[in-house]
């Protein structure tokens, strides 16, 4: 079975531009969450979506938004890019109902560079 | 969120056991202790989790102190493939909670 897949794997943008990152969860997983990992730090929680509804939001500005589609795939959008948005963006999926017993399965991430 | 404290780095010889410590003195009664690791150029990978009792799985063992204020991840026989950053995370026992609060973790180096 395929794991969590993310696209694109790498991309370069300039300040002020907009970016859309995509994530396909493992088949059967209905929950998707997004994390930002700046170089040298641990991942930071951005959003969680379950059944197309936002279930959690981290401490990120409104320039960051996301959505989940009927097939449970997800998009993360970032507007008005800043240099500080350069990071590895990770998507994770999990089975529903496994709040504490279940593991999150992470993709390999989309590396965004903002120039 | 309750915080965890881990050493920044550790080294171990190949084929020897590794004990990775984690302090979480402000843990609440509903927090589970999770460990993830991140290999170079990959996303984090689940290792193990527990609440109060020691836990074992095919990857590792988790020893939890009786007062739950600290825990230790044990890799019984380290291999070069275990070189990674290991994160100790407290996860609130709430339905649908997928928020993991990562710290900076412990960078484990395995010496051949």
């Amino acid at each position: 079975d395929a794991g969590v897949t993310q696209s694109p794997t790498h991309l370069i943008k300039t300040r002020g531009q907009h970016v859309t990152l995509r994530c396909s969860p493992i088949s059967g997983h209905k929950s998707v969450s997004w994390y930002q990992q700046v170089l040298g730090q641990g991942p930071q929680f951005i959003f969680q979506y379950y059944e197309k509804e936002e279930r959690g939001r981290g401490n990120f500005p409104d320039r960051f938004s996301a959505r989940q589609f009927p097939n449970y795939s997800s998009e993360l959008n970032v507007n008005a890019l800043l240099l500080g948005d350069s990071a590895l963006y990770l998507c994770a999926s999990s089975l529903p109902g496994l709040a504490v017993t279940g593991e999150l399965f992470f993709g390999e991430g989309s590396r965004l560079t903002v120039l | 969120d309750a915080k965890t404290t881990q050493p920044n780095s550790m080294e171990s010889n190949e084929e020897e056991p590794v004990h990775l410590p984690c302090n979480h003195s402000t843990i609440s009664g509903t927090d589970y202790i999770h460990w993830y690791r991140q290999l170079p150029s990959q996303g984090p990978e689940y290792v193990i989790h527990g609440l109060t009792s020691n836990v074992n799985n095919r990857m590792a063992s988790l020893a939890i102190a009786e007062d739950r204020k600290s825990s230790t991840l044990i890799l019984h026989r380290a291999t070069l493939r275990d070189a990674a950053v290991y994160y100790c995370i407290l996860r609130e026992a709430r339905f649908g909670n997928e928020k993991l609060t990562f710290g900076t973790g412990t960078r484990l180096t395995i010496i051949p």
Side-chain angles (χ1 to χ4, degrees):
Chain A
D1 285 340
V4 176
T5 57
Q6 294 186 242
S7 63
T9 54
H10 296 81
L11 69 166
I12 300 174
K13 294 284 189 178
T14 57
R15 282 177 295 176
Q17 285 190 313
H18 162 90
V19 68
T20 297
L21 307 177
R22 296 177 176 83
C23 172
S24 293
I26 293 172
S27 178
H29 287 193
K30 299 182 178 181
S31 185
V32 169
S33 50
W34 288 93
Y35 289 78
Q36 179 197 65
Q37 185 172 25
V38 174
L39 196 62
Q41 297 183 19
Q44 300 298 305
F45 175 77
I46 309 175
F47 286 112
Q48 181 203 343
Y49 277 77
Y50 175 66
E51 289 285 9
K52 295 165 285 183
E53 290 188 6
E54 182 183 303
R55 297 299 183 97
R57 172 185 285 258
N59 188 23
F60 280 82
D62 292 342
R63 299 185 295 109
F64 288 77
S65 63
R67 56 179 175 169
Q68 186 177 33
F69 298 100
N71 66 353
Y72 304 109
S73 66
S74 178
E75 284 183 354
L76 175 69
N77 295 284
V78 187
N79 293 322
L81 286 168
L82 303 174
L83 295 179
D85 295 331
S86 296
L88 180 67
Y89 289 85
L90 295 159
C91 174
S93 75
S94 71
L95 287 168
L98 297 180
V100 291
T101 61
E103 56 188 281
L104 298 188
F105 295 83
F106 284 84
E108 295 195 352
S110 294
R111 182 162 299 281
L112 170 65
T113 301
V114 182
L115 301 177
Chain B
D1 295 325
K3 294 195 181 298
T4 62
T5 303
Q6 300 177 253
N8 288 333
S9 62
M10 292 184 63
E11 288 186 349
S12 180
N13 294 320
E14 191 178 11
E15 299 186 1
E16 290 187 356
V18 182
H19 291 237
L20 297 167
C22 180
N23 287 320
H24 28 79
S25 59
T26 59
I27 190 171
S28 73
T30 57
D31 286 340
Y32 278 71
I33 302 160
H34 286 246
W35 284 81
Y36 280 73
R37 72 180 184 181
Q38 189 170 21
L39 280 65
S41 301
Q42 295 188 23
E45 172 189 34
Y46 169 83
V47 177
I48 200 167
H49 77 278
L51 182 63
T52 57
S53 304
N54 294 344
V55 184
N56 300 293
N57 67 19
R58 64 177 179 80
M59 290 181 68
S61 295
L62 176 60
I64 301 173
E66 194 169 339
D67 63 5
R68 300 213 321 130
K69 293 185 177 182
S70 65
S71 60
T72 302
L73 178 69
I74 302 166
L75 307 179
H76 295 287
R77 193 165 170 268
T79 70
L80 295 178
R81 289 174 293 179
D82 291 321
V85 178
Y86 287 78
Y87 296 99
C88 170
I89 300 163
L90 300 182
R91 187 175 179 187
E92 183 185 355
R94 176 167 51 84
F95 178 80
N97 175 31
E98 290 190 3
K99 178 182 178 182
L100 299 181
T101 301
F102 289 82
T104 53
T106 297
R107 181 173 299 279
L108 177 64
T109 300
I110 305 299
I111 302 168

